[in-house]
Amino acid sequence: ELFYITTNGEWKKYGAHFELLEDAYLDIDAWISCAISLGYSEIILQGHSLGTIKVIRYMFEGSYKERVKKIILLAPFDRTYLIERFAPGKWENFVEIAKQKVLEGKADEIIPTEFDEVAMSYKTYVSWHDENDYQHMFDFYDKDYTYPILNKIELPVKVIVGTKDEYLYPSNPDHPEKAIETLKRNIKHFSYKLIDGAEHSFSGYEKIIASEVSDFT
């Protein structure tokens, strides 16, 4: 098992199976602090997939959020729909079970396979799926959702997704432009690039990604 020590002297396991989204700001804090110490003043946050949630959360939780000038979101995805599709009518109960496991001191144990197709600890499952607006940031399937988090973002945001991204809008995969329209309505300073043929990983489209990022920065 691998561990790291936090700034307050606490030892924690590390790795994707054990991470907490609410702790992501600590890593971003460290990188921004390093960049500032090296003389950088134009701080741009870029996240891919789950990282899109982390960089948006940073704008509410991070110590250096005032230093961030722009945000780039690569392949955001409708996580709530995906878990509902995987465990329909069950996942919310699974969250409550996971919370109880955390209280019982079993936070680092790995969830049963029926909870999610992604292996993770009980505490990570709670972090991903507990009920709050951070967890529902990209709920494109929900026609009534009002996107309170995204509506508070004042910085320029660029979204880059592929037309074949299997996770962006899984409830309506043939029309990724509808998810883009939703983002455009709810992010004040919004631009985007739909890359024809690209999937969630952008494999084979790296040069286009680099060009789009460079143009925005």
Side-chain angles (χ1 to χ4, degrees):
E1 294 181 341
L2 300 174
F3 294 83
Y4 69 93
I5 189 167
T6 65
T7 53
N8 65 1
E10 181 183 359
W11 286 92
K12 290 186 177 182
K13 288 183 181 179
Y14 69 83
H17 292 338
F18 307 105
E19 73 169 341
L20 301 177
L21 292 176
E22 54 268 34
D23 284 349
Y25 79 93
L26 295 169
D27 289 331
I28 303 174
D29 269 355
W31 282 108
I32 292 179
S33 177
C34 179
I36 292 171
S37 71
L38 293 172
Y40 292 96
S41 58
E42 186 84 2
I43 306 298
I44 299 171
L45 292 185
Q46 174 179 295
H48 173 258
S49 192
L50 190 63
T52 61
I53 295 171
K54 295 177 181 180
V55 298
I56 292 293
R57 286 188 68 143
Y58 189 81
M59 300 314 301
F60 299 88
E61 300 170 330
S63 301
Y64 300 99
K65 55 184 179 289
E66 293 84 3
R67 305 293 292 266
V68 178
K69 304 300 182 184
K70 297 178 182 178
I71 297 172
I72 300 171
L73 304 179
L74 304 177
F77 67 105
D78 191 340
R79 191 178 56 190
T80 305
Y81 181 82
L82 289 170
I83 190 61
E84 176 61 36
R85 186 175 68 181
F86 180 81
K90 299 178 181 179
W91 68 272
E92 290 172 306
N93 184 54
F94 291 161
V95 172
E96 296 307 311
I97 294 172
K99 287 181 180 178
Q100 183 60 38
K101 293 292 186 180
V102 171
L103 291 175
E104 293 171 1
K106 301 176 181 178
D108 289 338
E109 292 186 9
I110 301 301
I111 59 172
T113 54
E114 63 264 28
F115 277 41
D116 201 321
E117 60 186 343
V118 180
M120 66 184 78
S121 64
Y122 283 115
K123 68 181 181 184
T124 301
Y125 192 80
V126 173
S127 180
W128 276 36
H129 300 303
D130 199 11
E131 188 67 23
N132 61 62
D133 284 315
Y134 288 128
Q135 317 307 65
H136 296 281
M137 200 177 295
F138 302 117
D139 278 13
F140 302 124
Y141 82 100
D142 185 350
K143 305 303 182 184
D144 298 321
Y145 192 58
T146 59
Y147 301 91
I149 296 297
L150 296 183
N151 274 282
K152 294 176 183 176
I153 300 297
E154 300 289 342
L155 302 179
V157 176
K158 183 166 186 174
V159 173
I160 305 174
V161 296
T163 60
K164 299 298 184 182
D165 189 328
E166 60 272 38
Y167 302 119
L168 169 69
Y169 196 11
S171 58
N172 194 2
D174 294 332
H175 293 282
E177 74 281 356
K178 293 187 179 297
I180 292 293
E181 290 169 6
T182 297
L183 292 172
K184 185 176 181 180
R185 287 195 303 270
N186 290 283
I187 297 176
K188 293 181 177 66
H189 306 288
F190 178 79
S191 60
Y192 74 96
K193 174 65 176 181
L194 263 175
I195 302 177
D196 189 41
E199 298 180 345
H200 192 69
S201 67
F202 297 112
S203 179
Y205 295 84
E206 292 83 1
K207 289 184 178 180
I208 296 176
I209 293 290
S211 177
E212 290 295 326
V213 168
S214 179
D215 289 346
F216 183 63
T217 57

